[in-house]
Amino acid sequence: MTTEKIPRPSGSFARDDFCNLTISDGKPVKKLRTGLVYDQRMTTYHCLWDPYYPEKPERFSSSLEKCREYSLIERCLEIPSRSASEEEITLLHRKDHVIMIKYTENKEDEEFLENLSSKCDSVYFHPKSYEIACLAVGCTINLVSTVLENKVQNGMAIIRPPGHHAMEDKACGYCYFNNVAIAAKHAIKHYGLNRILIVDWDVHHGQATQYAFYDDPRVLYFSIHRYEHGAFWPELKESNFDYVGEGSGKGFNINVPLNKTGMGNGDYLAIFHNILLPVAYEFSPNLVLISAGFDAAFGDTKGRMEVTPACYSHLLHSLMGLAGGKVCVVLEGGYCIPSLAEGVALSLRTLLGDPCPDIGSVPRPCESVVETILNVISVHRQFWHSLVLQGSYKENEDEKAMDRVRHRPEIRFEGPVQKPETFPTKDLNFRLDQELQAELEQQLKGLIAKTDLAVSPYRTALAFDERMMKHQNPMGRCLLKRGYTDLCFSVKCRFATEEEIALVNKKGNIDKSKKTDTVKPTNVFKFHTDCASNYMCQEIYRCALLETGSLLQVTEAVCSRICCNGVAISQPLVHHDEADEVCSFCFINSVTVAAKFAMTKFGLKRIMIIDWDIHSGDGIQCAFEDDPRILYVSVRHYDRGDFYSRDSGTNFDLVEKSRGTGYNIIIPWINGGLGDYLSVIFSIILPIGYEVIKVNPLKYCLTNQLEVICIKTNVLDTDGFASMRKCNYYQAIHKLSVDIIWSKMWSTNSCETQSQLITIHCCEIYYICDFLCESNDFNPELLILASGFNARRNAALRSCCVSPECYSHMIHLLSSLANGRVILSIEDGYNLTDTPEAVCCCIDALLGNPLPPLSECLQVSSSAVDSIQKIFHVLKKYWSCLQFDVDLPAYEPHLSPSEVSRAQNIMYYKENAARWY
């Protein structure tokens, strides 16, 4: 493959008179650098009377060292550290609290310090506690200010002590001053922000941050924390899901309490996909602050959760599309040093724009977290338009008459009724015995060692050739004018070979298209009338070959890791063309050719194709509907079958086709707005993309058939087969199928058994067993987006209303999959002004540039809710992550918090100005 950069095309484009459109002069908004603030003085305080105290200097030094090991610090812009002033600290804390902490400064009396510490819950004082606590607050404020002044794009504060437990008048939980809450108050006062999102993923509830903004609609506080019905620290009723805020702040406090230990990547991703991301996008913050504790990470004996360090990259990446990329990550807890250091480093790596590492197997969310998610949605959907995907019921309705599962939220508290007056000051660290500790460390080392952190030398490949303008392609001018051809790695376009397009297209179809190259211009019309919804010109076949070859060049650049992602400008279109027919402006289905090319040349086994063109991509669907290596998702306009292609096979219930059962997902709209499209990304596409345990009826059909055969032919009895299931089950089936079944088929006297065996065709037995041997995951290795832009607002077709900016957010969210290997095949879009704008927004997302906020209403339409509920019902038997198809108690609608924050804030400011300022 040719990988040298090619010069930009010169001269005017062909058909320039057709492409006379107005294009904005706006250049791409490039990502600024990532800021990093820390101070080595933060290693100078520790617990004087307990060397095993969990909050210790190694938390800071090891995190910093891991960042150096990964060569991350030199890539950042270092922000100066400083101490916060008393005036800044008292934006939140009472003055007498500041005086009390300051009183410990330079006190060398260990007995006095320990006695004072016993008056606070899980706190120790040191002669330098006040100095370092002020330093932590000052570093956090400096980071936020630097981001808000556009000196850096985003940043991280590697600091200690943590802050989210420090209350207005009391130190608590290793915290003296609340770093994040003070920085949020500072941003509101000095920068006039009115929508700040605080995400707290520390395993302990940040109760002090909740108290600070409980009645304030300018701050949305979202906390995921271990709770165990109040039995886990801080053992508070107000850490439960039913504490939603008060007054004007109702709906702006979201607690996600985890009521069992051992929760991992699948559980946290389910919380993000079903609650946080929909609400966060509806809230549309000006700034995102993350209270980043890493004590839910694998190996932390305090948190006892199992989130892998690499998963934090995925959680963070999903939030970086918000607030124009203004995201500040501030270190809170984390007490397993290797896991903490890895989590910090991988989070900083994500802020720098590196792709999310593969996190491997993502199991289904456990029953406990599903219950919690439904509890949270049940109390918050009266406030947020985006939390409406579940049905509702009234208590007086007959449950037997309803053919749906009902969920009833339950509020339980099993914590202490009253807190003690004094607290222990020693032996607070839970220590495993040496053997278990060694085993845990070994598992963690293996987890870290297998994390692939390779980064491609180039970010985004671009394939575009002005010769495609002979088929009237208006997008090239926009790319050139805005400088995208200089920002991307240009791959040399080429013509696809007949052997390559024959991977999908039948010879008769190829020969028919080739004839246009030699036919007389006066006879072209005959070809045009023979094809459905198509037009022909003499250059069409060579344009289609060039378009397909260009997409293959991008596919090769991405699959060989020369580039992280890529975009190919496709003209003519591709996704309707079938193996034996050209139709609907399409001549060679280059997306299917690219997928086959990736499988044959690079050995990929899991490719996800997402087709968001408003029309049915029937060509792609037909090519792979029986192939479990391809997960095809189509978001299309359907209108009850009254929209092209008017085929019942384009509805949501067409999911079963031989081996491809469950891998063909159709999402039909009547209309579609921003909220509808994002809702599908959050609730269906991302969960399935991360899924590992697929409930595959074909698998069970085949294994059950083999089990019946083995037992009937006396190969194994029932107990023997059951024991085989517990060990190398699939390997045993392989051996049985090859060494035993076929010989038994001819020796058995049972005609019934012979018939059963013969139905398993001898040519497919090896494929069946190989299929059964696989883990049935779909964590894709490559993501191909067939990107039509005719669902865009102002498009001539129907009434979908997706903005160019929304497409960029969709790409950003999806790029956490497949290690960031995303290929964008640009297809149609019939508004010649807005389509180039949408293409540029998509390329911005691939380049990692900051994304513009979505200003339009993100309410999910009732027709979209109906479609999504039907899709849940059909797909949940195939995909175990789709467990939220239930009814919740009916509620009285309120004004949503997003409306409150925009419509009522002016009044709220006037009423509270004196108290705030």
Side-chain angles (χ1 to χ4, degrees):
M1 172 187 170
T2 305
T3 58
E4 72 270 14
K5 288 198 174 185
I6 61 174
R8 298 195 325 185
S10 58
S12 60
F13 285 103
R15 306 287 178 94
D16 197 58
D17 54 336
F18 178 83
C19 303
N20 186 20
L21 65 156
T22 302
I23 296 175
S24 153
D25 291 330
K27 299 291 183 181
V29 179
K30 295 182 182 179
K31 180 181 181 292
L32 302 172
R33 295 186 69 184
T34 293
L36 177 65
V37 61
Y38 61 92
D39 194 302
Q40 293 291 354
R41 286 176 288 176
M42 291 179 179
T43 61
T44 59
Y45 87 102
H46 59 275
C47 182
L48 297 172
W49 51 86
D50 184 356
Y52 300 106
Y53 206 93
E55 209 298 295
K56 52 189 177 183
E58 289 84 353
R59 296 180 59 249
F60 171 86
S61 56
S62 296
S63 299
L64 210 57
E65 184 56 39
K66 181 62 71 171
C67 292
R68 286 198 182 94
E69 180 185 330
Y70 289 162
S71 302
L72 301 177
I73 293 180
E74 53 264 40
R75 295 171 59 189
C76 298
L77 177 66
E78 292 197 29
I79 298 171
S81 61
R82 69 170 177 89
S83 294
S85 66
E86 189 172 312
E87 181 184 359
E88 290 171 327
I89 295 172
T90 52
L91 285 172
L92 173 65
H93 295 283
R94 284 169 40 175
K95 193 165 185 178
D96 57 347
H97 171 66
V98 179
I99 291 172
M100 190 276 288
I101 303 296
K102 189 174 183 179
Y103 183 71
T104 66
E105 191 173 24
N106 298 323
K107 287 286 189 298
E108 301 290 344
D109 187 341
E110 184 176 316
E111 183 179 351
F112 166 77
L113 292 172
E114 184 175 3
N115 183 58
L116 184 62
S117 301
S118 70
K119 304 294 192 294
C120 301
D121 189 354
S122 304
V123 170
Y124 67 84
F125 289 102
H126 181 275
K128 290 197 173 184
S129 292
Y130 176 74
E131 175 192 347
I132 307 304
C134 290
L135 196 59
V137 175
C139 287
T140 307
I141 291 175
N142 258 18
L143 171 63
V144 169
S145 297
T146 307
V147 168
L148 292 177
E149 291 167 9
N150 295 316
K151 295 176 181 176
V152 295
Q153 185 64 54
N154 52 42
M156 175 178 279
I158 301 179
I159 57 172
R160 63 182 288 262
H164 68 149
H165 299 305
M167 291 172 276
E168 180 185 11
D169 59 350
K170 188 175 285 292
C172 179
Y174 316 150
C175 306
Y176 308 101
F177 302 133
N178 197 320
N179 308 312
V180 167
I182 294 171
K185 296 271 189 182
H186 178 84
I188 291 169
K189 179 177 180 179
H190 293 282
Y191 296 93
L193 300 194
N194 64 349
R195 294 192 307 279
I196 298 175
L197 171 64
I198 299 177
V199 178
D200 189 340
W201 65 46
D202 190 284
V203 82
H204 302 92
H205 181 226
Q207 81 280 21
T209 309
Q210 172 173 310
Y211 297 154
F213 302 108
Y214 201 61
D215 62 348
D216 190 341
R218 298 171 299 179
V219 177
L220 170 59
Y221 176 66
F222 188 97
S223 176
I224 308 172
H225 48 270
R226 181 178 164 193
Y227 185 59
E228 294 183 281
H229 303 292
F232 186 68
W233 196 92
E235 304 166 323
L236 300 170
K237 285 184 178 181
E238 49 264 51
S239 302
N240 210 352
F241 66 89
D242 57 318
Y243 280 78
V244 300
E246 64 184 12
S248 297
K250 270 192 174 180
F252 290 92
N253 190 85
I254 303 179
N255 286 328
V256 185
L258 307 179
N259 292 314
K260 62 175 286 188
T261 57
M263 293 193 184
N265 297 350
D267 302 301
Y268 274 70
L269 286 169
I271 292 166
F272 268 59
H273 295 157
N274 290 281
I275 308 174
L276 176 55
L277 292 177
V279 168
Y281 267 85
E282 184 178 345
F283 182 60
S284 188
N286 315 120
L287 174 68
V288 178
L289 300 176
I290 300 177
S291 281
F294 294 90
D295 39 7
F298 183 87
D300 195 299
T301 55
K302 289 179 72 66
R304 294 176 60 195
M305 297 296 177
E306 296 180 2
V307 179
T308 62
C311 185
Y312 288 104
S313 295
H314 291 252
L315 303 181
L316 175 56
H317 177 271
S318 66
L319 298 170
M320 288 171 61
L322 298 164
K326 297 185 188 307
V327 178
C328 299
V329 179
V330 182
L331 182 59
E332 297 282 359
Y335 307 99
C336 173
I337 300 302
S339 194
L340 163 68
E342 186 76 4
V344 168
L346 296 189
S347 296
L348 181 56
R349 180 179 178 274
T350 300
L351 289 174
L352 285 161
D354 290 353
C356 297
D358 180 19
I359 53 176
S361 300
V362 177
R364 59 179 286 178
C366 68
E367 290 183 9
S368 178
V369 84
V370 170
E371 179 185 12
T372 290
I373 289 170
L374 293 172
N375 287 344
V376 174
I377 292 174
S378 70
V379 297
H380 278 281
R381 65 185 186 145
Q382 60 183 307
F383 304 115
W384 297 98
H385 293 312
S386 52
L387 300 180
V388 295
L389 300 186
Q390 286 69 35
S392 62
Y393 66 87
K394 295 181 180 179
E395 290 296 339
N396 57 358
E397 289 178 340
D398 182 9
E399 186 169 357
K400 294 181 180 179
M402 305 296 292
D403 186 25
R404 287 178 59 82
V405 176
R406 291 183 174 183
H407 174 78
R408 288 181 170 82
E410 179 186 3
I411 299 171
R412 290 168 52 191
F413 181 70
E414 299 173 1
V417 177
Q418 189 174 358
K419 292 277 189 177
E421 293 185 3
T422 60
F423 299 87
T425 59
K426 297 177 181 176
D427 301 321
L428 298 181
N429 197 17
F430 176 76
R431 281 174 282 173
L432 297 172
D433 62 58
Q434 290 186 350
E435 185 176 342
L436 284 175
Q437 185 67 36
E439 182 181 346
L440 192 65
E441 289 176 0
Q442 193 64 32
Q443 290 178 357
L444 186 56
K445 284 180 181 178
L447 195 65
I448 293 172
K450 73 177 184 180
T451 303
D452 182 6
L453 299 181
V455 178
S456 302
Y458 299 97
R459 176 83 183 193
T460 301
L462 174 64
F464 173 75
D465 194 299
E466 65 174 313
R467 288 171 288 182
M468 274 183 260
M469 293 302 298
K470 293 180 179 181
H471 194 77
Q472 303 181 349
N473 187 332
M475 301 176 194
R477 172 181 296 178
C478 185
L479 298 179
L480 292 171
K481 190 168 186 178
R482 297 194 181 188
Y484 285 100
T485 51
D486 291 331
L487 296 175
C488 299
F489 177 81
S490 294
V491 294
K492 188 173 182 179
C493 297
R494 65 172 175 87
F495 292 101
T497 66
E498 284 193 21
E499 290 77 13
E500 288 169 337
I501 63 175
L503 289 169
V504 174
N505 291 270
K506 293 183 179 177
K507 189 175 187 305
N509 190 21
I510 297 172
D511 292 341
K512 183 177 180 179
S513 299
K514 282 172 66 176
K515 290 179 182 179
T516 62
D517 204 20
T518 57
V519 74
K520 293 180 180 180
T522 54
N523 294 331
V524 168
F525 182 74
K526 183 180 184 304
F527 286 89
H528 168 70
T529 56
D530 289 341
C531 301
S533 301
N534 228 325
Y535 69 88
M536 296 284 185
C537 63
Q538 286 180 300
E539 296 91 355
I540 183 62
Y541 180 62
R542 291 182 63 77
C543 283
L545 288 178
L546 181 61
E547 179 273 326
T548 303
S550 300
L551 182 57
L552 294 183
Q553 288 289 82
V554 171
T555 302
E556 187 162 353
V558 173
C559 291
S560 58
R561 297 200 171 192
I562 294 171
C563 296
C564 175
N565 53 49
V567 56
I569 308 298
S570 303
Q571 195 78 325
L573 315 181
V574 302
H575 72 148
H576 297 299
D577 182 64
E578 298 187 23
D580 56 357
E581 183 182 7
V582 297
C583 61
S584 303
F585 315 147
C586 303
F587 298 89
I588 299 174
N589 199 323
S590 59
V591 167
T592 61
V593 174
K596 290 278 190 179
F597 176 79
M599 290 189 288
T600 54
K601 182 166 184 177
F602 295 96
L604 301 191
K605 295 181 179 179
R606 301 184 307 278
I607 298 176
M608 188 174 190
I609 299 175
I610 300 175
D611 184 349
W612 62 50
D613 190 284
I614 197 173
H615 299 99
S616 162
D618 36 18
I620 305 174
Q621 180 178 332
C622 292
F624 298 118
E625 60 188 350
D626 64 347
D627 190 340
R629 296 172 297 174
I630 302 291
L631 173 59
Y632 176 64
V633 182
S634 175
V635 186
R636 60 182 63 164
H637 192 89
Y638 183 64
D639 202 2
R640 302 178 183 90
D642 192 35
F643 190 68
Y644 182 88
S645 58
R646 294 185 174 89
D647 183 355
S648 61
T650 62
N651 206 356
F652 65 87
D653 55 347
L654 186 71
V655 295
E656 297 187 10
K657 182 73 172 181
S658 184
R659 304 176 204 133
T661 295
Y663 290 92
N664 186 65
I665 299 173
I666 309 300
I667 302 167
W669 294 140
I670 295 176
N671 300 308
L674 275 68
D676 301 339
Y677 275 76
L678 287 174
S679 184
V680 162
I681 296 286
F682 298 143
S683 65
I684 297 175
I685 298 178
L686 280 174
I688 288 177
Y690 279 106
E691 176 73 274
V692 66
I693 302 174
K694 182 175 184 297
V695 184
N696 190 337
L698 175 63
K699 165 186 164 180
Y700 295 117
C701 172
L702 294 171
T703 53
N704 290 338
Q705 189 174 9
L706 287 170
E707 181 172 357
V708 169
I709 294 168
C710 290
I711 293 171
K712 283 196 173 187
T713 56
N714 296 319
V715 174
L716 284 173
D717 58 17
T718 305
D719 293 337
F721 207 90
S723 64
M724 188 173 68
R725 287 180 184 271
K726 297 178 182 179
C727 51
N728 294 325
Y729 173 48
Y730 298 128
Q731 292 179 19
I733 288 181
H734 232 305
K735 180 174 176 58
L736 284 168
S737 64
V738 177
D739 298 338
I740 302 175
I741 290 180
W742 295 109
S743 61
K744 286 286 182 181
M745 184 178 75
W746 305 117
S747 62
T748 181
N749 294 321
S750 167
C751 293
E752 181 184 356
T753 303
Q754 284 189 5
S755 175
Q756 287 176 323
L757 286 164
I758 292 169
T759 57
I760 304 177
H761 196 281
C762 60
C763 294
E764 294 191 333
I765 187 67
Y766 295 102
Y767 173 84
I768 290 170
C769 294
D770 285 339
F771 178 63
L772 295 174
C773 284
E774 294 177 358
S775 61
N776 289 324
D777 60 15
F778 208 89
N779 180 23
E781 299 168 287
L782 178 67
L783 184 63
I784 302 177
L785 304 178
S787 305
F789 296 102
N790 40 21
R792 190 202 60 261
R793 66 187 178 198
N794 303 326
L797 299 172
R798 300 289 168 155
S799 54
C800 292
C801 187
V802 180
S803 67
E805 297 81 11
C806 183
Y807 286 111
S808 67
H809 283 270
M810 290 160 64
I811 288 176
H812 171 79
L813 290 163
L814 292 168
S815 63
S816 61
L817 299 170
N819 203 216
R821 288 190 283 276
V822 178
I823 296 174
L824 190 65
S825 175
I826 304 296
E827 296 209 5
D828 54 349
Y830 306 113
N831 183 308
L832 298 181
T833 301
D834 283 357
T835 297
E837 181 72 25
V839 172
C840 291
C841 286
C842 290
I843 297 176
D844 274 330
L846 293 176
L847 287 167
N849 291 334
L851 306 181
L854 301 176
S855 56
E856 294 92 336
C857 175
L858 297 183
Q859 184 167 353
V860 186
S861 68
S862 58
S863 62
V865 171
D866 182 61
S867 291
I868 292 170
Q869 287 179 352
K870 289 175 179 176
I871 293 164
F872 278 165
H873 184 71
V874 170
L875 291 179
K876 64 184 179 182
K877 65 180 178 180
Y878 307 111
W879 298 96
S880 58
C881 57
L882 304 179
Q883 301 178 54
F884 301 96
D885 179 34
V886 302
D887 287 345
L888 300 174
Y891 62 90
E892 292 295 327
H894 287 69
L895 195 64
S896 79
S898 57
E899 292 169 330
V900 171
S901 64
R902 293 172 181 142
Q904 296 185 350
N905 270 357
I906 295 176
M907 181 66 68
Y908 193 70
Y909 295 153
K910 289 180 180 178
E911 292 174 354
N912 296 278
R915 177 165 64 91
W916 288 334
Y917 303 133

